[in-house]
Amino acid sequence: MASCAGEEGVAPAIPPLRPSDQFHLFVSYSSVDAVWTHGLTGRLEAELPGLRVCLHERDFTPGRNVLENMAGCIQQSQKVLLVLSEDFVQSRWCLLEADLSLVGSCLERKPVLPVLLRPCRVPLHLSHLTYLEATDGRFYQKLVQLLCTPNQRLARPLALRSAPALYSGKALLTLDCINRDSLPSWKVGSFSTLAVPDPLKEVLEDPELYKRAVGILNGVRSPHCLLRYLGCRVLLAIVLLLLSVVLLFLPVIFGARQKQPFQRFLVISASVFFGPFFMILSINTLCWFRRSSKRTLRELACRVGEANLLLAPHSVLMGCETKNKLYFVYVLLGDCKRAFLGTPEGEAAFQEAILRFASSYACCLAHGHFPQWEEAAGGSGHLEVGLCFCQFVSLQLRRLGGQGGQVEPCVTV
C-alpha cells in the first residue's frame, strides 16, 4: 500500500493509477485564480513524485469538444479538486465541471475535494460538500494527506469541515412572524423569542441578547383606528364624496333663491370651500392605510436600528422591510468601524449610522442586491462581494443630500 504523508519517517506517496485512469487529480478553477492554482499544482507535482495533475489549458485535447474534454478528463482522474471563489461560482464552465464531478462522485465514488480560496456564496447544489480552507495553516499538509489516501478509504475525510462557510456578508436567516398566514395586512407581526433559531446559534451564544433584540421590535403597536378596516374606509369616503357633491351644487339649489347679495355670497363661499375640502378628505380616507403603513415601517426601522446596536458587536445585523419578516446577516464591521473612528464624530457617527442605515444594509445583503452598486464600482471596500457598510452609508448620505465626506473612503485590507 502507498505511504501517506501522515506517517512519520516515510515520504509521501500517492496511490497508483488504475488502468482506466490517466490522472491522479483533475483541478477545476477560474482563470482569475490561475496564478494561485498553478503555484499549488506546481508544488504538488514537485514534491509528490509521479503525481499527474490535469489542468484544462495544458491537458485538454486540442480540437476536441470542450464538454467531451471535461467529461473525459474527470472520468479518467482519481480525484477532483474544486478551487472555490466568487469567480468560480460565477463561471458557467466551472460550475459545469463541478456538476460533472458530482456525477462521478455518485456513480464511481470519486472523491471531490473543494478548496475555499476566497469567501463566496456557494451554490445550493454544492453546499452539501465539505471543504478545505486555503487560509488554514495546515492546508497543504491536509491536502497531501488526502491525495495520498486511496479512494476507498476516503468516504468521510475527517480533515474537512462542513460547508457552507461563515463569511462576511452571509445571509443567516429569514425569520417570519408568528401566524403570518392569518395576520391582517394592517397588523404588525410578533416574532418568537422562546429560543435562538439554529442558524443564529453559531454567532449569538447568549439567548438573552437575541430575546432583547427581537423584543424591541415586538414593542411596536398596530393601529387601533377603525380606518384600518377597508369597509370603514370605503364607507366614510363615499359619505364624504357625496357631501362634497352636494356642496358643489349648493349655489345652484339655494343660491338663486337668495335675494340678498350677502346671503348669496355666503352660500357660494361655503360651496367653494367645503366642496373641495370634503372631496380631499374623501381621498385622504382612502389613502389612510398607505400613510399608516409608512409610519409603521418607519417606526419599525427605528426599532431595528436600536436592536442592531445590540447585535453589531457580535457581527450580526437585522433588516426589516415589511411588517412580518426579518432578515439576519453575518457581517464583520471592524474595518468599517475604524473608518468611522477616523472622522471627527468618531464613535457617535458609527452608532448613528447603525441606527439609520443598518436595517436597509442588512436587507441588501440578504437579497444580494445593492441598487447603488454602480456608483461605487471604482472603489474598494471591506467586503469580498458587494458594498461594505461604510461604502453603503456614504452612498446613502450622498443620495439623501447629506455630506458623504463624513465617512472616510474604504481601503482594501
Side-chain angles (χ1 to χ4, degrees):
M1 184 177 294
S3 301
C4 279
E7 300 176 6
E8 294 185 3
V10 181
I14 55 175
L17 290 174
R18 299 177 303 176
S20 59
D21 293 336
Q22 291 189 18
F23 305 99
H24 296 98
L25 185 66
F26 177 88
V27 184
S28 177
Y29 59 95
S30 166
S31 58
V32 178
D33 306 321
V35 174
W36 184 89
T37 305
H38 291 167
L40 174 65
T41 56
R43 181 182 177 186
L44 288 172
E45 289 175 325
E47 297 183 5
L48 296 178
L51 176 68
R52 298 198 61 189
V53 178
C54 180
L55 301 175
H56 66 266
E57 71 270 25
R58 183 184 68 184
D59 299 302
F60 276 12
T61 304
R64 192 181 182 188
N65 183 280
V66 176
L67 294 177
E68 292 178 355
N69 265 317
M70 285 183 187
C73 289
I74 290 175
Q75 186 177 5
Q76 295 169 358
S77 300
Q78 281 186 350
K79 298 177 177 68
V80 178
L81 183 74
L82 306 179
V83 181
L84 299 181
S85 67
E86 192 63 29
D87 299 292
F88 180 96
V89 300
Q90 290 178 359
S91 168
R92 59 191 181 100
W93 293 115
C94 290
L95 291 181
L96 181 57
E97 289 175 343
D99 292 340
L100 291 173
S101 66
L102 291 179
V103 173
S105 176
C106 294
L107 297 181
E108 306 176 25
R109 295 185 178 274
K110 191 185 301 293
V112 179
L113 311 176
V115 173
L116 188 66
L117 178 59
R118 293 192 305 276
C120 61
R121 300 179 185 274
V122 181
L124 183 61
H125 66 288
L126 297 178
S127 61
H128 71 285
L129 296 172
T130 53
Y131 67 93
L132 282 168
E133 292 179 291
T135 56
D136 185 356
R138 299 189 66 252
F139 158 71
Y140 184 76
Q141 289 79 4
K142 291 178 180 178
L143 178 59
V144 170
Q145 183 179 359
L146 291 171
L147 293 178
C148 292
T149 305
N151 289 0
Q152 62 270 20
R153 293 176 52 191
L154 209 58
R156 293 180 64 92
L158 300 177
L160 303 181
R161 174 183 166 191
S162 297
L166 187 63
Y167 56 89
S168 185
K170 177 180 174 61
L172 296 174
L173 173 68
T174 299
L175 182 65
D176 291 324
C177 68
I178 303 170
N179 299 328
R180 181 189 176 192
D181 295 334
S182 59
L183 196 70
S185 58
W186 51 266
K187 192 170 184 179
V188 180
S190 295
F191 300 91
S192 174
T193 57
L194 291 178
V196 180
D198 289 340
L200 298 181
K201 288 181 178 178
E202 186 175 355
V203 290
L204 292 180
E205 299 179 356
D206 184 5
E208 292 301 320
L209 178 66
Y210 171 79
K211 292 179 181 179
R212 286 172 56 197
V214 176
I216 293 175
L217 271 71
N218 288 339
V220 178
R221 295 185 178 182
S222 303
H224 296 289
C225 177
L226 287 176
L227 293 179
R228 66 183 186 270
Y229 299 112
L230 178 61
C232 293
R233 295 199 301 274
V234 172
L235 181 61
L236 182 57
I238 292 174
V239 171
L240 292 172
L241 187 61
L242 289 176
L243 280 174
S244 67
V245 171
V246 170
L247 287 170
L248 287 175
F249 284 97
L250 191 63
V252 178
I253 300 173
F254 296 104
R257 299 182 183 180
Q258 301 297 332
K259 296 181 180 181
Q260 299 295 331
F262 179 72
Q263 294 177 342
R264 191 178 300 166
F265 172 76
L266 287 178
V267 172
I268 294 174
S269 298
S271 174
V272 170
F273 177 78
F274 287 105
F277 173 76
F278 282 115
M279 185 173 292
I280 293 172
L281 203 58
S282 172
I283 296 173
N284 280 338
T285 300
L286 291 175
C287 297
W288 177 90
F289 179 75
R290 183 178 179 182
R291 296 197 310 275
S292 175
S293 295
K294 286 185 176 180
R295 284 196 302 268
T296 303
L297 287 175
R298 282 197 297 268
E299 184 180 358
L300 273 173
C302 292
R303 296 296 184 93
V304 171
E306 296 175 18
N308 279 329
L309 289 177
L310 299 176
L311 298 174
H314 301 269
S315 302
V316 177
L317 290 181
M318 179 195 303
C320 177
E321 56 188 6
T322 65
K323 293 182 282 189
N324 51 26
K325 185 181 293 185
L326 296 177
Y327 300 100
F328 291 87
V329 298
Y330 178 80
V331 56
L332 300 174
L333 296 172
D335 294 314
C336 291
K337 184 175 181 179
R338 282 189 284 274
F340 279 92
L341 294 178
T343 64
E345 293 81 4
E347 180 71 21
F350 180 71
Q351 300 290 331
E352 181 67 18
I354 292 291
L355 281 170
R356 293 180 58 188
F357 302 112
S359 175
S360 53
Y361 178 66
C363 291
C364 289
L365 283 177
H367 297 313
H369 174 65
F370 292 88
Q372 298 88 16
W373 172 268
E374 296 79 7
E375 300 178 34
S380 57
H382 304 118
L383 198 64
E384 184 75 22
V385 181
L387 299 179
C388 71
F389 183 61
C390 49
Q391 280 181 316
F392 182 82
V393 171
S394 190
L395 288 176
Q396 292 298 315
L397 291 175
R398 192 184 312 164
R399 184 177 64 86
L400 296 173
Q403 297 179 355
Q406 289 181 349
V407 179
E408 293 294 329
C410 293
V411 292
T412 304
V413 291

